[in-house]
């Protein structure tokens, strides 16, 4: 069973979650760029090598061709969205726990923690879907040699002008398919590892920074082990020309399996897993540090 800190403060979760999200994006965005470029690279012509032979080749070509800035392309959209998104994410997890408690001091089982995590995935999709759409489009345009969008705001304006709000939120169902089960795994794994790593006779709140980093990093790996296949479909769908996949993710799935096999659902796996540990370790450490700071400066908030 997992020990639950009480009570949950929405205001503290907002600021602490936002800070944790900024830490995650800053640490993990370069490898997210590599992941998206690998997932969306065009199929090579017969007899021709692929644009990128793998994670490290993509990293090298991006760095040589575009410099460090190329690795951080499209970061403005997730940075702008991280504060409310992670606030809603962590608050949604807390709300999911509360809804399952009969008494405030009830300790939840791990399946209940998984269910609470899934609720957080539903909450964050409203913010996540348009940010993911904009991020993916900006990340691939440099690789294609075209400059259709001058930045995140320009991308959002053009999408809205061309297709309305549906254009901005293209890929929402796939974002839900990715984030709902993955968020359940994310939070459940983190709580489970925190409990395992807490020395006997100590409180979870006293866990050291290295142990928080380890728990958060592994939680990120478990999260992405669940999320990669729908993430590949989402990236393909969100960056496809209008009308290419009239039946949504089913068309994307059929095309990928037919042309590239089941292994294509795990494109970018290396980049994702290399990114997952440090990015999510930074996220949870940032969250825990921010929560301790807020509890110190505003205990009654």
């Amino acid at each position: 069973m997992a020990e639950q800190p009480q009570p949950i403060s929405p205001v503290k979760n907002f600021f602490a979650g936002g800070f944790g999200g900024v830490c995650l994006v800053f640490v993990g965005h370069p490898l997210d760029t590599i992941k998206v470029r690998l997932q969306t690279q065009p199929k090579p012509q017969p007899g021709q090598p692929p644009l990128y032979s793998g994670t490290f080749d993509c990293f090298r070509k991006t760095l040589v061709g575009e410099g460090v800035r190329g690795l951080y392309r499209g970061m403005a959209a997730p940075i702008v969205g991280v504060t409310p998104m992670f606030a809603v994410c962590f608050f949604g997890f807390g709300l999911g726990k509360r809804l399952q408690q009969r008494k405030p001091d009830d300790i939840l089982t791990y399946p209940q923690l998984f269910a609470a995590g899934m609720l957080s995935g539903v909450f964050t999709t409203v913010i996540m879907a348009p940010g993911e759409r904009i991020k993916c489009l900006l990340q691939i345009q440099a690789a294609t040699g075209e400059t259709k969008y001058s930045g995140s705001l320009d991308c959002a304006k053009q999408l809205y002008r061309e297709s309305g709000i549906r254009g901005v939120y293209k890929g929402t169902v796939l974002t839900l398919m990715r984030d709902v089960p993955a968020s359940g795994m994310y939070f459940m794994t983190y709580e489970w590892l925190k409990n395992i790593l807490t020395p006997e006779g100590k409180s979870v709140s006293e866990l050291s920074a290295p142990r928080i980093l380890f728990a958060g990093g592994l939680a990120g790996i478990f999260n992405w082990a669940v999320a990669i296949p729908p993430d590949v479909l989402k990236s393909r769908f969100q960056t496809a020309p209008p009308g290419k996949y009239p039946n949504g993710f089913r068309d994307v799935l059929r095309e990928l399996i037919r042309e590239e096999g089941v292994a294509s659902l795990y494109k970018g796996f290396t980049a994702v897993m290399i990114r997952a540990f440090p990015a999510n370790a930074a996220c949870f450490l940032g969250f825990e540090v921010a929560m301790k700071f807020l509890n110190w400066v505003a205990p009654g908030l």
Side-chain angles (χ1 to χ4, degrees):
M1 302 297 175
E3 179 186 347
Q4 309 299 322
Q6 299 293 334
I8 295 166
S9 167
V11 177
K12 288 178 182 177
N13 272 266
F14 178 86
F15 289 107
F19 182 72
V22 170
C23 294
L24 180 145
V25 172
F26 187 78
V27 171
H29 191 80
L31 279 161
D32 187 69
T33 298
I34 301 303
K35 178 205 70 172
V36 171
R37 290 188 176 185
L38 286 170
Q39 290 175 345
T40 59
Q41 65 176 318
K43 186 181 178 183
Q45 296 296 321
Q48 296 295 316
L51 181 60
Y52 307 115
S53 61
T55 298
F56 296 104
D57 181 54
C58 183
F59 181 86
R60 181 183 61 80
K61 287 179 177 176
T62 301
L63 196 60
V64 170
E66 304 168 50
V68 175
R69 291 182 63 183
L71 296 170
Y72 281 92
R73 288 190 186 277
M75 193 174 73
I79 281 288
V80 168
V82 288
T83 298
M85 184 189 72
F86 275 83
V88 169
C89 179
F90 280 92
F91 176 75
F93 178 56
L95 178 61
K97 290 190 292 184
R98 278 190 176 181
L99 289 173
Q100 297 179 87
Q101 288 178 317
R102 295 182 179 180
K103 296 180 294 183
D105 58 348
D106 279 351
I107 295 175
L108 301 182
T109 63
Y110 291 117
Q112 287 175 314
L113 291 170
F114 185 85
M118 288 198 297
L119 182 63
S120 78
V122 175
F123 278 30
T124 56
T125 296
V126 176
I127 302 170
M128 193 76 163
E132 286 279 301
R133 167 95 155 121
I134 292 165
K135 171 182 70 69
C136 288
L137 288 171
L138 289 173
Q139 283 173 330
I140 68 165
Q141 80 166 0
T144 61
E146 300 176 2
T147 310
K148 183 178 180 180
Y149 310 112
S150 61
S152 299
L153 186 59
D154 180 55
C155 182
K157 286 180 178 178
Q158 288 196 46
L159 288 173
Y160 184 78
R161 187 164 56 243
E162 292 168 2
S163 309
I165 196 68
R166 292 185 64 182
V168 178
Y169 273 89
K170 182 179 179 181
T172 298
V173 172
L174 280 163
T175 305
L176 276 169
M177 290 173 60
R178 181 193 69 177
D179 288 351
V180 169
S183 293
M185 182 64 73
Y186 187 53
F187 283 107
M188 183 190 71
T189 303
Y190 180 64
E191 296 287 342
W192 170 60
L193 288 169
K194 280 205 304 180
N195 287 321
I196 288 177
L197 294 170
T198 301
E200 189 174 350
K202 296 284 188 179
S203 168
V204 173
S205 62
E206 299 175 307
L207 207 61
S208 66
R211 296 188 180 203
I212 290 172
L213 286 168
F214 182 74
L218 274 186
I221 287 176
F222 276 82
N223 170 83
W224 278 104
V226 173
I228 288 177
D231 185 63
V232 172
L233 298 177
K234 180 195 69 65
S235 295
R236 281 290 184 104
F237 184 69
Q238 287 185 319
T239 57
K244 182 176 181 180
Y245 301 115
N247 296 311
F249 74 89
R250 289 171 295 178
D251 285 350
V252 186
L253 180 61
R254 277 194 289 263
E255 180 185 83
L256 278 172
I257 298 298
R258 182 178 65 250
E259 296 184 359
E260 302 178 46
V262 176
S264 64
L265 293 172
Y266 286 88
K267 276 191 172 184
F269 179 85
T270 304
V272 168
M273 289 306 171
I274 291 173
R275 169 186 179 266
F277 192 96
N280 289 283
C283 174
F284 276 110
L285 182 62
F287 176 79
E288 298 287 359
V289 168
M291 283 296 288
K292 286 185 178 180
F293 176 76
L294 291 169
N295 287 332
W296 177 63
V297 298
L301 189 63

